[in-house]
């Protein structure tokens, strides 16, 4: 640019006060420039070498508690410090000279803008409109430098997307496929895009935080792994982050937003179901970065195209994204199966961009206690979910006034989407492999709470009360195991002595456990109608103990001769092929562990076979140090098991899941060779489950659960036992599965008997 080339300062000043500030700034920065409102300029008439400088006047709130933010009090008195009334602006500027700043975006010449317009925009898109949007976005970036990166999402998003060449080309292709006019598809897609695109108003973001953060600030103290956050912040400078958190509560997005805000992260764009878009939540949340979408896209190809275009824009601009991959809150306390729809859309969107990648951040959010667990448990037992609305919100807010302990936010190892897709290879299971890795990382990061361990101890196979020493005796080997494995466990002081009493009394205060003190010593038990609540807390930690539990069951099978070298496992002739006669006992044990894993593959997230066997080896290192130098025998295995009397986890870890499978398998056997629709079958299982619980056939009464029956149903379907198209005798195949489940339950009972054996301690004086 030559010194004589014209300079045009473009602004969007609302008042004379703001215009004076802009002109004062321009007089110093560009003395010979002309200052004009952007809306008054005809850009087609400007010479190619004209330099355009986008400028914006920015009002900043006063500093409150170390941060410039609008408060709820400002709103209640109809004042917005970010957009003060024109009459008040000179007064505010006089009192606080730093309240009004002028920021300038990246300048560009008309020639440069015409080159970008030809490259990025669809043919026929007005140059005038393109320049105004580009100037607004550039000024927006400059404003973020002083307003803070947490306000990151620009305005005019829908306009930028719908005017792009990629959008127009995609819409034309879709129109051809649908046999519709291109203009009609473009118009419909643009309308739908405008319907769910989130635009972030700084005022609304502050109001949303000030209003809705009350839903969690009183209930929990939030803790977070700061070191991991620091590494994520560095990573965020070069790549967009996709946070995929576990979903346990309505307030999960608020808790995560607070953590990110307090640690100087830009806000996430949060994809959520439109069931929460009711007034007043919806209008405010949408302007604070929430993207409300349909629960199901159905057969609406235009909606899908608009969503894919939006996600491609988000990835291209490296905005941070967040959604809940389980598709809904956990009903049992453990992770639900991943819903692949949005992940598939992100993969499709990234494929539209050259060398595009995002980093997935598996995120775990865990609470000591949740007031909404009771309602969740009731739904899981067959109850009807109450719809969200204003009345529901007020009741929920009221319930959140009591303190419920800690909310812990932890992050798993970040995952490159592109690299993970490449490692997953091609084929229909590609996306599932990516999702399962995410879920495994969430599980690894999930901390074990004291309430989880108390639930683990109190929900034994026997329906009885426990003394404090008995609970401590169950928890002691768990705490030792957590320490030896280096797992993210609770403060051990909360699981013994006075700390344990405090944990129990907190649970008692919320009706989960009860204490009887009318005898010689207090005894604690789970309140019968709240067994599912105690199980919810317990289940949040069970995935940490599943590998250990499977090793215990496998060892028992070896010790009691049910699995031998060169033989097929008992009652499982339909599983796998007969091993070679010279097969070693260790190999047979590995086969049995994989068979047990197969029974649980719809309940927990397991790694690929090789890594899984490596994990089992680590478990054996703890159970039997030196096993790698031993040739296992049946007697050796027996000694290993009985050497851990009182420290076996399998019964408490897996009883619930095999009890649920028993109900579904029994129901299928009752149906003989006939099939039944899923909803009707699970409804029948709820009835049968309650019956078997009353008859004490089920050892774990919290196994009466729609969610657990759903997992068992998916296992049966995976084995072809629902419709039986490729099975000659469907009833016999169903009976085989029932026999297999019964064997697992029998093994758990035998492990329980070993666990409850008390070692005999001989007094030295009596011996003499």
């Amino acid at each position: 640019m030559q010194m004589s080339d014209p300079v045009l300062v473009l602004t969007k000043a609302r008042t004379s006060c703001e215009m004076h500030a802009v002109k004062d700034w321009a007089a110093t920065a560009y003395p010979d420039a002309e200052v004009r409102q952007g809306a008054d300029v005809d850009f087609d008439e400007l010479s190619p070498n004209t330099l355009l400088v986008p400028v914006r006047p920015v009002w900043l709130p006063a500093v409150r508690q170390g941060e410039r933010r609008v408060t709820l009090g400002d709103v209640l008195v109809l004042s917005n410090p970010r957009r003060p009334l024109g009459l008040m602006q000179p007064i505010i500027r006089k009192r606080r000279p730093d309240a009004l700043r002028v920021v300038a975006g990246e300048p560009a010449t008309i020639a440069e803008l015409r080159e970008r317009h030809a490259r990025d925009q669809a043919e026929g898109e007005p140059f005038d409109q393109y320049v105004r949007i580009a100037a607004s976005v550039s000024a927006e970036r400059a404003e973020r430098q002083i307003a803070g990166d947490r306000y990151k999402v620009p305005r005019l998003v829908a306009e930028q997307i719908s005017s792009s060449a990629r959008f127009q080309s995609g819409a034309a292709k879709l129109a051809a496929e649908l046999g519709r006019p291109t203009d009609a598809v473009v118009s419909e897609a643009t309308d739908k895009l405008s319907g769910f695109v989130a635009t972030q108003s700084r005022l609304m973001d502050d109001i949303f935080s000030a209003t809705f953060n009350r839903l969690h600030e009183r209930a929990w103290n939030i803790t977070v792994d700061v070191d991991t956050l620091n590494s994520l912040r560095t990573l965020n400078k070069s790549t967009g982050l996709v946070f995929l958190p576990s979903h346990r509560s309505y307030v999960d997005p608020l808790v995560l937003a607070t953590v990110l805000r307090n640690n100087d992260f830009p806000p996430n764009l949060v994809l959520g179901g439109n069931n929460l878009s009711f007034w007043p939540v919806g209008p405010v949340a949408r302007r604070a970065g929430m993207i409300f979408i349909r629960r199901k896209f159905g057969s609406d190809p235009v909606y899908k195209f608009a969503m894919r275009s939006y996600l491609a824009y988000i990835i291209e601009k490296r905005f941070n994204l967040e959604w809940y991959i389980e598709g809904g809150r956990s009903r049992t306390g453990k992770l639900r199966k991943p819903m692949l729809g949005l992940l598939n859309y992100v993969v499709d969107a990234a494929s539209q961009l050259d060398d595009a990648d995002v980093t997935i951040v598996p995120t775990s959010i865990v609470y000591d206690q949740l007031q909404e667990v009771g309602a969740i448990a009731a739904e899981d037992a067959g109850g009807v979910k109450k719809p969200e609305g204003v009345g529901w919100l007020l009741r929920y807010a009221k319930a959140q006034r009591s303190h419920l302990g800690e909310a812990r936010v932890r992050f798993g190892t970040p995952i490159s989407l592109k690299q993970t897709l490449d490692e997953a290879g091609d084929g229909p299971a590609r996306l599932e492999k990516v999702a399962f890795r995410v879920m495994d990382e969430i599980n690894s990061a999930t901390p074990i709470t004291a309430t989880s361990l108390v639930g683990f101890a109190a929900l034994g196979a026997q329906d009885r009360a426990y003394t404090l020493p008995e609970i401590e005796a169950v928890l002691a080997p768990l705490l030792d195991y957590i320490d030896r494995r280096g797992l993210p466990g609770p403060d051990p002081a909360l699981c013994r002595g006075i700390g344990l009493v405090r944990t129990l009394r907190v649970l008692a205060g919320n009706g989960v456990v009860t204490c009887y003190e009318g005898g010689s010593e207090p005894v604690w038990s789970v309140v019968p109608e709240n067994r599912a609540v105690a199980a919810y807390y317990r289940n949040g930690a069970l995935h940490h103990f599943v590998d250990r539990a499977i090793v215990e069951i496998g060892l028992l099978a070896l010790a009691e001769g049910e699995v031998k070298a060169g033989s097929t496992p008992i009652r499982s002739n339909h599983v796998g092929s007969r091993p070679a006669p010279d097969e070693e006992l260790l190999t047979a044990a590995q086969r049995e562990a994989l068979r047990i894993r197969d029974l649980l593959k719809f309940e927990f997230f397991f790694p690929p076979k090789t890594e899984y066997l490596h994990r089992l080896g680590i478990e054996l290192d703890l159970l039997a140090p030196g096993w790698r130098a031993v040739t296992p025998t049946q007697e050796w295995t027996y000694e290993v098991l009985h050497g851990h009397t009182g420290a076996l986890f399998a019964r408490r870890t897996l009883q619930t899941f095999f009890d649920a499978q028993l109900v579904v398998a029994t129901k299928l056997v009752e149906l003989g060779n006939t099939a039944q629709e899923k909803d009707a079958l699970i409804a029948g299982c709820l009835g049968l489950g309650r019956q078997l619980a009353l008859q004490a056939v089920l050892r774990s009464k919290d196994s009466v659960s729609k969610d657990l029956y759903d997992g068992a149903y998916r296992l049966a379907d995976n084995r072809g036992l629902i419709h039986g198209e490729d099975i000659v005798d469907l009833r016999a195949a169903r009976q085989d599965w029932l026999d297999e489940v019964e064997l697992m339950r029998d093994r758990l009972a035998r492990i329980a008997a070993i666990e409850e054996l008390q070692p005999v301690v001989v007094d030295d004086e009596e011996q003499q």
Side-chain angles (χ1 to χ4, degrees), residues 144-187:
R144 290 205 309 268
Q145 299 301 311
I146 61 170
D149 258 356
R150 64 173 175 273
Y151 304 107
K152 190 174 181 180
V153 183
R155 303 172 180 90
L156 306 174
V157 170
E159 291 86 345
Q160 291 183 69
I161 296 173
S162 61
S163 63
S164 70
R166 186 170 62 232
F167 182 89
Q168 297 281 340
S169 173
K173 182 179 177 181
L174 178 60
E177 293 172 359
L178 298 176
R180 295 176 56 188
T182 299
D183 290 346
V185 172
V186 168
S187 177

Side-chain angles (χ1 to χ4, degrees), residues 689-709:
R690 294 187 187 106
Q691 173 198 320
L692 296 180
L694 290 170
Q695 293 177 289
V697 174
L698 301 182
R699 301 186 182 105
S700 178
K701 293 180 180 178
D702 56 273
S703 65
V704 181
S705 155
K706 286 196 300 185
D707 212 65
L708 295 179
Y709 293 156

Side-chain angles (χ1 to χ4, degrees), residues 574 664-675 719-740:
H574 62 290
V664 177
T666 300
K667 191 67 180 175
L668 287 174
V669 170
E670 288 179 358
L671 291 172
N673 287 308
T674 62
R719 293 183 167 203
L721 300 178
I722 299 299
H723 302 289
E725 292 92 344
D726 300 322
I727 297 178
V728 176
D729 189 342
L730 182 57
R731 190 188 187 287
R734 290 170 171 176
Q735 183 64 51
D736 281 346
W737 180 37
L738 178 58
D739 291 344
E740 204 174 354

Side-chain angles (χ1 to χ4, degrees), residues 51-100:
L51 182 70
L52 301 183
V53 183
V55 165
R56 178 175 292 179
V58 178
W59 292 91
L60 298 176
V63 176
R64 297 180 174 101
Q65 297 179 344
E67 188 176 2
R68 293 185 185 271
R69 292 183 64 187
V70 177
T71 67
L72 195 57
D74 292 324
V75 178
L76 293 177
V77 298
L78 303 179
S79 169
N80 178 4
R82 297 193 188 280
R83 289 176 64 88
L85 296 174
L87 292 175
M88 296 298 298
Q89 288 181 0
I91 300 173
I92 295 171
R93 196 179 182 194
K94 184 176 181 180
R95 289 178 178 174
R96 289 194 298 115
D98 66 335
L100 178 59

Side-chain angles (χ1 to χ4, degrees), residues 564-567 578-584:
K564 300 178 181 179
S567 68
R578 184 175 294 277
D582 60 347
E583 181 183 51
E584 294 182 358

Side-chain angles (χ1 to χ4, degrees), residues 228-339:
T228 304
L229 270 179
N230 289 337
S231 63
L232 285 175
R233 191 184 303 107
T234 301
L235 191 62
N236 202 186
K237 294 177 181 178
S238 58
T239 178
L241 304 179
V242 176
F243 290 86
L244 296 183
S246 57
H247 199 10
R248 296 172 188 269
S249 171
Y250 285 110
V251 299
D252 289 339
L254 302 177
V255 170
L256 182 57
T258 296
V259 166
L260 297 178
R261 173 188 284 275
N262 291 345
N263 288 276
D264 298 322
F265 275 77
N268 293 341
L269 286 169
V270 184
L271 292 161
N274 57 10
N275 60 308
L276 291 176
S277 63
F278 60 86
W279 185 91
V281 176
V284 177
R286 183 173 284 109
R287 290 166 178 79
M290 178 72 78
I291 305 167
F292 291 110
I293 60 175
R294 299 176 187 172
R295 285 283 185 178
K296 296 180 180 179
F297 295 177
S299 56
D300 188 342
V302 179
Y303 189 92
K304 293 178 182 179
F305 167 71
M307 176 56 66
R308 190 179 293 111
S309 300
Y310 185 30
L311 291 175
Y313 173 86
I314 290 171
I315 292 169
E316 184 179 31
K317 300 300 183 183
R318 298 214 306 254
F319 298 137
N320 291 348
L321 194 59
E322 170 189 341
W323 80 84
Y324 292 78
I325 194 169
E326 296 168 89
R329 293 170 299 154
S330 171
R331 295 298 188 267
T332 61
K334 67 183 183 65
L335 290 182
R336 306 176 80 181
K337 68 174 181 178
M339 306 300 286

